[in-house]
Each structure stands twice: as structure tokens, then as C-alpha cells.
Amino acid sequence: MPLDADSPALAPSVSPAPEGPAGRALHELDVRTLPHGGRHEIIFASLDALEPGEAFVILNDHDPKPLRYQTEALWPDVYTWDYLEAGPALWRVAITRAR
């Protein structure tokens, strides 16, 4: 039996960007395009710009666990991490400023 456009097998596996305040889609920061030596500095600047309750999504080509460990060590209990997509080719992680 051929698949048609309404078939669930053809549904995309990528999660939509979560919504931030006022129902707006969150900004996505594609760190894959950033130079390796400057990625954390740029991400930290983006984190610092967040107000409590605000978030953005990072896109990466590997699990950003080292970045998470570093942010948790520098700013305990300030940011929450929600994996929206977990590889193998793309990781999408929403980072929210909790306080």
C-alpha cells in the first residue's frame, strides 16, 4: 500500500521551536556556524542577556553536555535545560533562565 501525504510515517521528526513569552517562537542560536574557540563566549553572552523566564534554543552537532556542566558550575540553579532533539546529527536544547 503506497504512503500518501497524510501518512504518519511521513511526519517530520523535528520538534517545533518552543514558545517563549507571549506565545512567540524562541530564538535559535546555531552554534554549528560559530568558530570553536568562541562558541562558549557567545553562548554565555546570550545566556546573560536572558531575563528570568526567557529562553532560547541552541542547535549543535553534538550533545552540549560540557557546556551544561560549565554553566551549572558557574551559575548553579540559574538555567534549566530541555532537550528538544537529541542527535545523532542535530541536538536542539532550550535553555531557560529560571531566576
Side-chain angles (χ1 to χ4, degrees), residues 17 27 31 79 86 88 99:
H27 169 72
V31 299
Y79 300 100
R99 56 180 180 91

Side-chain angles (χ1 to χ4, degrees), residues 68-94:
R68 182 177 187 168
Y69 298 150
Q70 190 174 9
T71 58
E72 288 174 348
L74 292 170
W75 304 287
D77 303 319
V78 174
Y79 300 100
T80 61
W81 288 57
D82 295 299
Y83 282 75
L84 306 175
E85 190 168 344
L90 177 67
W91 276 259
R92 292 174 63 236
V93 181

Side-chain angles (χ1 to χ4, degrees), residues 25-94:
L26 296 178
H27 169 72
E28 289 191 339
L29 175 61
D30 189 345
V31 299
R32 300 171 298 176
T33 63
L34 302 176
H36 279 281
R39 286 182 181 185
H40 285 202
E41 183 178 326
I42 292 167
I43 295 167
F44 290 158
S46 296
L47 291 172
D48 190 47
L50 294 176
E51 296 292 329
E54 291 183 333
F56 70 96
V57 176
I58 60 170
L59 284 70
N60 205 354
D61 57 5
H62 63 274
D63 190 345
K65 278 194 279 187
L67 176 68
R68 182 177 187 168
Y69 298 150
Q70 190 174 9
T71 58
E72 288 174 348
L74 292 170
W75 304 287
D77 303 319
V78 174
Y79 300 100
T80 61
W81 288 57
D82 295 299
Y83 282 75
L84 306 175
E85 190 168 344
L90 177 67
W91 276 259
R92 292 174 63 236
V93 181

Side-chain angles (χ1 to χ4, degrees), residues 4-28:
D4 60 30
D6 295 325
S7 171
L10 296 179
S13 61
V14 176
S15 301
E19 293 181 352
R24 291 177 287 181
L26 296 178
H27 169 72
E28 289 191 339

